[in-house]
Amino acid sequence: MTVLLQMTDVRRVHGRGGASVTALDNIDLVVSAGEFVAVMGPSGSGKSTLLHLAGGLDTPSSGSVGVAGLDIGSLGGSARAALRRKHVGYVFQDFNLLPTLTAGENVALPRELDGVRRHQARRDARTALREVDLADMIDRFPDEMSGGQQQRVAIARALVGDRRLVLADEPTGALDSATGELVLALLRSRADAGSAVVLVTHEARHAAWADRVVFLRDGRMVDTAGRDDAASLLVTQP
Ligand code: ADP
Ligand code: MG
């Protein structure tokens, strides 16, 4: 199976000297095409740091992070940005849509930045919006949509084109539970279609959509559970 994310003995220290914080230590994680992994852990345990590293938004202090077979630590800033645009779809907690662009323009933007011609980018955007069941919202502006619709646009933007490593940091935080489940179902079907998905969540019922759950505490991986025993493990975690 194609490995899309490979973290090997990763450590990330923020700051330096007496004020330094070891946000992650000794992290080994492999996620292949078709796999959906949930990351859980208390606030400050290193979940966002892990996702930033996985998405090439940050580089490790030591150890290696491979995205689609390339070691991000060995790449310069612009090569990393290109790798991100090509392979990584990132869903942020607060949507991050540009308010002056329509839904279609927001979703088309990463394609245009990638050098795809405008009409092709627009067509890709329409396809991605159809996938999240928002084809009829293509000309709406973010403030003309509900929170749930905006988050689905953000997901379409993360999925547009053929980006096969999908990273989501508590993407359901601001959503009602029905819309939250819809977002989870979308991520699940994306994994079933061959993407690798990593979801940070604090909700056990969302982690239940994953094939595997990884637990972080103080920057270390303290436990991991497969789909079958995830439910019982979740009960014992705070
Ligand atoms: P989580 O997402 O699980 O809440 P984070 O990855 O955001 O955890 O943070 C892990 C630890 O690293 C925390 O102690 C946090 O304060 C620290 N940290 C995160 N980012 C930075 C930064 N840019 N500078 C200094 N410390 C940071
Ligand atoms: Mg976080």
Side-chain angles (χ1 to χ4, degrees):
M1 223 191 296
T2 313
V3 172
L4 290 171
L5 173 64
Q6 180 149 29
M7 305 180 89
T8 308
D9 198 11
V10 165
R11 181 178 164 89
R12 178 65 169 103
V13 180
H14 292 296
R16 47 182 71 209
S20 68
V21 177
T22 303
L24 279 183
D25 198 13
N26 202 226
I27 299 296
D28 290 297
L29 179 66
V30 177
V31 188
S32 297
E35 266 193 308
F36 183 163
V37 174
V39 178
M40 301 191 80
S43 177
S45 60
K47 305 181 298 295
S48 293
T49 300
L50 186 151
L51 221 58
H52 289 158
L53 289 166
L57 296 168
D58 190 10
T59 52
S61 305
S62 67
S64 69
V65 178
V67 173
L70 287 170
D71 179 359
I72 61 156
S74 69
L75 302 175
S78 62
R80 254 194 299 137
L83 177 76
R84 265 199 322 265
R85 282 202 308 270
K86 186 163 159 49
H87 295 292
V88 181
Y90 210 108
V91 186
F92 296 91
Q93 178 161 20
D94 56 0
F95 316 150
N96 255 347
L97 297 177
L98 295 173
T100 57
L101 300 184
T102 64
E105 288 164 349
N106 264 285
V107 177
L109 189 60
R111 297 298 281 157
E112 291 191 41
L113 291 174
D114 235 357
V116 170
R117 294 175 74 92
R118 177 159 288 207
H119 70 273
Q120 179 63 45
R122 186 85 182 157
R123 202 177 314 147
D124 293 343
R126 181 164 299 134
T127 303
L129 282 168
R130 201 177 299 127
E131 256 189 84
V132 299
D133 207 16
L134 282 183
D136 51 339
M137 297 276 165
I138 193 161
D139 292 323
R140 296 270 186 106
F141 288 91
D143 69 1
E144 299 169 333
M145 292 183 282
S146 70
Q149 289 166 341
Q150 289 180 48
Q151 186 57 305
R152 280 147 70 195
V153 173
I155 288 177
R157 184 185 54 187
L159 301 181
V160 70
D162 191 27
R163 285 172 294 164
R164 297 182 66 206
L165 177 58
V166 178
L167 307 171
D169 199 345
E170 303 197 23
T172 58
L175 305 179
D176 63 68
S177 64
T179 313
E181 292 294 307
L182 190 99
V183 166
L184 267 295
L186 273 168
L187 293 174
R188 177 72 253 175
S189 69
R190 192 66 185 196
D192 292 340
S195 290
V197 177
V198 182
L199 165 77
V200 168
T201 182
H202 55 266
E203 298 203 45
R205 69 195 160 81
H206 289 166
W209 288 82
D211 300 307
R212 226 166 359 118
V213 186
V214 160
F215 298 94
L216 293 181
R217 187 183 300 271
D218 297 331
R220 289 174 172 267
M221 228 178 245
V222 290
D223 223 333
T224 177
R227 192 168 204 168
D228 294 338
D229 48 5
S232 55
L233 248 179
L234 289 167
V235 175
T236 65
Q237 294 291 322

